[in-house]
Amino acid sequence: MDIKTTCLGVLMLGAASGYEIRKSFEEGPFSHFAEGGFGSIYPALTKMTQEGLVTCTAHQQEKRPAKKVYQITDAGWTHLETAMRDKIPGEDKIKSDLLFMLFFADWQSPERIARVIDARIAFYQQKLDEMADCGTQFDTISGRSLVLGYGIAVFQASLDYLVANREAFIEVAGQAQPPLLHAAE
Amino acid sequence: MDIKTTCLGVLMLGAASGYEIRKSFEEGPFSHFAEGGFGSIYPALTKMTQEGLVTCTAHQQEKRPAKKVYQITDAGWTHLETAMRDKIPGEDKIKSDLLFMLFFADWQSPERIARVIDARIAFYQQKLDEMADCGTQFDTISGRSLVLGYGIAVFQASLDYLVANREAFIEVAGQAQPPLLHAAE
DNA sequence: GTCCGCATGTAAGTAGTTACATGATTCA
DNA sequence: TGAATCATGTAACTACTTACATGCGGAC
């Protein structure tokens, strides 16, 4: 989904400012399947206001820039609905720098491999804690709560695999030194 | 990793043509953490040849365009090594259209939700079969085999979750009709 | 007194995608 | 006969990232 559709998705859950939309890409329930920085969000909101997909209300604040709160319109909902209808979601293409590095574990130092794995383990543990908290907010089952569960399941599997294979990764590290590369030539 | 580094990674496993590199993004062991189309691969290879990161050998073929086989150089290996050294891999940001759609399951028809879930279940099953085959090619443990195992673990977890929650997703579908949106305003 | 959070935006750049262009072979 | 695979590449476009620009308030 492009940045416009993604913003509309956030606005479906309630009116929000550009700043708040970005926060929900960073922390909230959208954080594990959507992304976008200020540089894409603000222009998208401006354009969608012109196109009538959202309305914008300025809330004056003292000693702060006016907060522009955006709300999705009927046309916006139609746009979102159409985007989802026309989409047959393909594979989630993951561009993973971690997996790329681990793939070449044999050519790298055990220290570096340990460092990147430990960092990721810590990340997943922290993220899973956050998600568990987030889950307590749902009293009924909904698409939102089920998607959160999906995220938890995948993160847990990733964490488990890394914990279980940490030593194995470190053991293969350094097995192939650059010269091996030449031997293969 | 950018397209250049990713191509160098493929070439670390052996000389290949642009066409073959792309295939390994689509099918091979790189397919679940790297991507790139012809439009990015060919220019990248041309540029890297100029920069000395790869060498290019034309293999004449009858009745086909000459196959250009690229091979990584020492400078190429250094480039790859540096890219990995300088990188502290952050979170694997997933832009998932499936999760986006499922998040809004309540607003969509049960039929559509069933269709996208079933398509993804079939995809994971097929992919897991392929990956299991791929795994038989490894006789020793290496970064490559461990990363394959990682991919299998994550895909399996995704598949399991979808299978376990297929009915739940379908049950919430259609619970919120667009009017609810207005009620929230 | 410095950094983080709130709050908005623009401008320049890059990287990647999509579509086009060409053409033989092979399989159903 | 039509589609898929092999095989290369370019041109136009889009979409996003990064850096810049501004500035107050509050916490440490």
Side-chain angles (χ1 to χ4, degrees):
Chain A
M1 305 288 179
D2 62 20
I3 189 69
K4 274 190 195 180
T5 314
T6 315
C7 287
L8 287 176
V10 176
L11 296 178
M12 273 297 282
L13 303 186
S17 66
Y19 191 86
E20 287 161 350
I21 289 174
R22 200 223 163 187
K23 255 205 314 190
S24 73
F25 290 162
E26 293 262 291
E27 299 164 33
F30 285 87
S31 60
H32 51 281
F33 60 89
E35 52 184 331
F38 290 132
S40 29
I41 294 168
Y42 285 124
L45 288 171
T46 306
K47 214 167 184 190
M48 289 199 292
T49 307
Q50 284 157 15
E51 293 167 350
L53 304 180
V54 298
T55 53
C56 173
T57 320
H59 290 239
Q60 292 306 326
Q61 297 177 116
E62 276 173 42
K63 316 222 180 182
R64 258 183 215 286
K67 194 179 192 173
K68 288 185 172 181
V69 175
Y70 295 88
Q71 199 154 4
I72 191 167
T73 63
D74 281 348
W77 160 246
T78 306
H79 179 96
L80 181 57
E81 212 280 328
T82 307
M84 292 195 286
R85 191 194 330 123
D86 297 346
K87 197 100 193 177
I88 301 105
E91 180 186 2
D92 293 340
K93 272 281 176 185
I94 308 173
K95 259 199 147 177
S96 172
D97 289 340
L98 176 72
L99 256 22
F100 187 91
M101 286 182 67
L102 293 180
F103 192 84
F104 296 103
D106 311 47
W107 283 273
Q108 293 177 73
S109 74
E111 291 73 29
R112 197 193 294 175
I113 295 301
R115 188 158 40 82
V116 297
I117 291 178
D118 291 340
R120 183 59 64 96
I121 286 174
F123 169 79
Y124 282 139
Q125 280 168 341
Q126 192 215 316
K127 214 63 182 171
L128 281 164
D129 281 348
E130 283 172 26
M131 288 163 102
D133 284 349
C134 197
T136 59
Q137 294 168 17
F138 294 107
D139 44 339
T140 55
I141 292 176
S142 66
R144 275 95 67 215
S145 68
L146 290 167
V147 166
L148 181 71
Y150 191 118
I152 290 172
V154 170
F155 275 18
Q156 189 65 56
S158 305
L159 174 62
D160 290 347
Y161 190 84
L162 285 182
V163 169
N165 293 281
R166 184 180 179 279
E167 298 312 319
F169 272 112
I170 290 169
E171 234 167 90
V172 300
Q175 295 290 308
Q177 291 303 317
L180 252 187
L181 161 67
H182 298 96
E185 276 172 19
Chain B
M1 305 287 180
D2 62 20
I3 189 68
K4 276 192 197 178
T5 314
T6 316
C7 288
L8 287 176
V10 176
L11 296 178
M12 273 297 282
L13 303 186
S17 66
Y19 190 85
E20 287 161 350
I21 289 174
R22 199 223 166 188
K23 254 206 315 191
S24 75
F25 290 164
E26 293 262 291
E27 299 163 33
F30 285 88
S31 60
H32 51 281
F33 59 88
E35 54 184 330
F38 289 131
S40 30
I41 293 169
Y42 285 122
L45 288 171
T46 306
K47 215 169 184 188
M48 288 198 292
T49 307
Q50 286 160 12
E51 294 166 349
L53 303 180
V54 297
T55 54
C56 174
T57 319
H59 289 239
Q60 292 306 326
Q61 297 179 118
E62 277 174 39
K63 315 218 178 185
R64 260 184 215 286
K67 196 178 191 175
K68 288 186 173 179
V69 175
Y70 295 89
Q71 200 156 359
I72 190 167
T73 63
D74 281 349
W77 160 246
T78 306
H79 179 96
L80 181 56
E81 211 281 327
T82 308
M84 291 196 286
R85 189 191 335 122
D86 297 346
K87 198 98 194 179
I88 301 104
E91 179 186 2
D92 294 341
K93 271 281 176 186
I94 308 174
K95 257 200 149 176
S96 173
D97 289 342
L98 177 72
L99 256 22
F100 187 91
M101 285 182 66
L102 293 180
F103 192 85
F104 295 104
D106 311 47
W107 282 274
Q108 293 178 74
S109 74
E111 291 75 27
R112 196 192 295 175
I113 294 302
R115 188 158 40 84
V116 298
I117 290 178
D118 291 341
R120 183 57 65 95
I121 286 174
F123 168 79
Y124 282 139
Q125 280 168 341
Q126 192 215 317
K127 215 63 183 168
L128 282 165
D129 281 348
E130 283 171 26
M131 288 163 104
D133 283 350
C134 198
T136 60
Q137 294 167 18
F138 294 107
D139 45 337
T140 55
I141 293 176
S142 66
R144 277 93 67 215
S145 68
L146 290 167
V147 166
L148 181 71
Y150 192 118
I152 291 172
V154 171
F155 275 18
Q156 190 66 56
S158 305
L159 175 62
D160 290 346
Y161 190 85
L162 285 183
V163 169
N165 294 281
R166 184 180 178 278
E167 299 312 317
F169 271 112
I170 291 169
E171 234 166 89
V172 299
Q175 295 290 309
Q177 291 303 317
L180 251 188
L181 160 67
H182 298 94
E185 278 173 16

